[in-house]
Amino acid sequence: MVAKDEASTEIDRPRRNRPLLPRRRSRTRSASRSENALGWIFTGPVVFGLILFVAIPILLTVWVSFRDWNGFVSPFDTPYIGFENYSKLLFEAGIRQTDFARSIRNNFYYVIGVVPMQTTLALVIAVILNKTALKGKGFFRTAYYFPSITSSIAVTLIFVFMFQTQGAINAVLPFGNINWLDNANGLIHNALGVIGVHQPPAWAAGIEFMGLTLWDWFAGPSVAMFAIMMLVTWTTTGTMMLIFLAGLQSIPPSVEEAATVDGAGPFQMFWRVTIPMMRPTIYFVVMLGLIGTWQVFDQIFATNFGGPRKTTITPAFWIYFQSFRNSEAGLGAAIAILLFGVIMIFAFLQRCIIKSSGEL
């Protein structure tokens, strides 16, 4: 039997080295073509949608930003003005530059207030709702996620009533009647006022950048903007919580069991096991938060339309205002391109910071 097996092996060996038969080669090519065709059929609609709704609008926006277009006539009939729109926003002193600087300042405070708050709250809630011993998890998950699927305009109008001087917020606070939505004072200025600093120092009032003094740049978010930040944090935390829940449930139970056997307490488990294993999810949530907060529009529009005293205008709102209220669509397109650059810079910085502190 052994001799026979060796003989059959000797006979089979040349067959494996033999080139494929033409018919078999033809079948392989046919199968490969079918797979390629199926791949294009499945990805074609997505690629077509990306080109039609993302790539072409971005290219058209760049093209329009170099033209003097009022939004009423065809953009192809408008004159080419080069970098004039960008120059008005960045280099020429005037109301356009000052308003653009205000929008960047307001949105910057909005980002550094909302993104950490919504990320931290969502992570803590997700960790609590992921506990196996918790009863009624389905109810709590639905309750926290419900604001995220409610119309943002409807939620904003409810908050407008709540934050009125005689509204529910002032009714439960012991500070008296606060004029939330019409108060243009910055929170940092208010804090300095408590310790007796009501006027800007000479050095802060004498240095200007893009039409705003250093005193104006460091005013902090206005009271009205702070109210909008609380509103947005409440409505977006549910979505982030859902993403964190998915990330927490992907952690193998054996890892937590091993940490428990090694004597890790709840705090050590959270800080040394959960956080390191959730780093990709945290990065994703922070990235979503950064992009979303730099594009805030509907809450600003519905709350007080950029007021009071332009302390809640943002670049996204200013794009709308310049394009559809001031009939300067070319200028609005230039603001959109600059906003795109700001988002890219923040995304790059965030990636560098997270990569420098460990592997994603």
Side-chain angles (χ1 to χ4, degrees):
M1 290 294 293
V2 173
K4 186 178 179 181
D5 290 344
E6 287 178 354
S8 66
T9 306
E10 295 252 339
I11 292 169
D12 290 343
R13 193 171 296 157
R15 286 184 182 172
R16 285 199 290 267
N17 296 331
R18 193 181 299 169
L20 294 173
L21 295 174
R23 183 180 296 176
R24 189 175 174 185
R25 193 181 303 165
S26 173
R27 280 186 199 160
T28 306
R29 285 179 182 171
S30 177
S32 177
R33 284 176 192 156
S34 299
E35 287 182 1
N36 289 338
L38 282 175
W40 279 111
I41 288 173
F42 283 115
T43 59
V46 178
V47 173
F48 178 75
L50 285 175
I51 293 174
L52 185 63
F53 296 111
V54 178
I56 292 178
I58 289 176
L59 293 176
L60 281 176
T61 304
V62 174
W63 180 73
V64 166
S65 69
F66 293 107
R67 310 191 78 83
D68 184 17
W69 186 36
N70 59 11
F72 292 104
V73 299
S74 171
F76 297 99
D77 299 331
T78 55
Y80 173 77
I81 57 173
F83 289 89
E84 188 175 324
N85 287 327
Y86 294 95
S87 178
K88 288 177 184 174
L89 296 171
L90 298 177
F91 304 111
E92 294 180 13
I95 188 66
R96 291 186 181 85
Q97 185 195 54
T98 306
D99 286 343
F100 179 66
R102 281 198 187 100
S103 70
I104 293 292
R105 179 200 62 180
N106 298 338
N107 214 149
F108 176 74
Y109 285 121
Y110 177 86
V111 170
I112 63 175
V114 171
V115 174
M117 275 200 296
Q118 71 181 11
T119 305
T120 306
L121 271 177
L123 180 59
V124 171
I125 294 172
V127 170
I128 294 172
L129 295 185
N130 196 46
K131 297 293 183 186
T132 53
L134 181 68
K135 293 182 180 178
K137 285 190 286 188
F139 168 76
F140 288 114
R141 289 175 183 177
T142 305
Y144 281 113
Y145 184 62
F146 193 72
S148 300
I149 59 174
T150 308
S151 166
S152 60
I153 296 297
V155 173
T156 303
L157 292 179
I158 292 172
F159 264 68
V160 167
F161 285 109
M162 291 175 62
F163 277 99
Q164 286 181 348
T165 308
Q166 303 300 325
I169 300 297
N170 281 337
V172 298
L173 291 178
F175 309 122
N177 293 334
I178 301 175
N179 193 5
W180 288 95
L181 300 179
D182 288 327
N183 194 329
N185 295 330
L187 293 184
I188 296 177
H189 285 179
N190 285 345
L192 292 175
V194 173
I195 60 175
V197 180
H198 298 285
Q199 297 296 326
W203 58 269
I207 301 176
E208 282 194 5
F209 178 67
M210 294 183 70
L212 296 180
T213 64
L214 282 184
W215 179 256
D216 294 328
W217 278 105
F218 292 103
S222 65
V223 177
M225 180 60 92
F226 182 68
I228 296 174
M229 289 160 61
M230 288 194 286
L231 153 69
V232 174
T233 301
W234 182 71
T235 55
T236 56
T237 297
T239 303
M240 306 306 178
M241 175 208 70
L242 210 62
I243 299 172
F244 278 131
L245 271 175
L248 287 169
Q249 290 173 4
S250 68
I251 297 176
S254 58
V255 176
E256 295 181 349
E257 291 169 3
T260 305
V261 170
D262 289 341
F267 179 77
Q268 289 176 316
M269 180 83 74
F270 176 76
W271 198 249
R272 297 188 180 276
V273 177
T274 304
I275 293 293
M277 299 201 71
M278 290 286 290
R279 288 176 67 86
T281 309
I282 293 173
Y283 173 80
F284 178 69
V285 166
V286 173
M287 180 65 72
L288 278 184
L290 273 177
I291 295 173
T293 49
W294 275 108
Q295 296 175 340
V296 59
F297 171 78
D298 41 359
Q299 292 87 356
I300 303 292
F301 182 90
T303 302
N304 44 22
F305 206 74
R309 287 189 287 168
K310 298 181 180 178
T311 55
T312 59
I313 62 172
T314 59
F317 175 80
W318 216 232
I319 291 169
Y320 161 80
F321 192 86
Q322 293 295 339
S323 301
F324 298 102
R325 294 300 181 102
N326 277 359
S327 301
E328 292 189 292
L331 193 70
I335 298 173
I337 298 302
L338 292 175
L339 176 61
F340 177 76
V342 170
I343 293 175
M344 289 296 104
I345 290 171
F346 270 83
F348 176 75
L349 290 176
Q350 183 213 352
R351 184 170 181 79
C352 290
I353 291 171
I354 291 185
K355 282 190 74 174
S356 64
S357 59
E359 188 178 351
L360 279 176

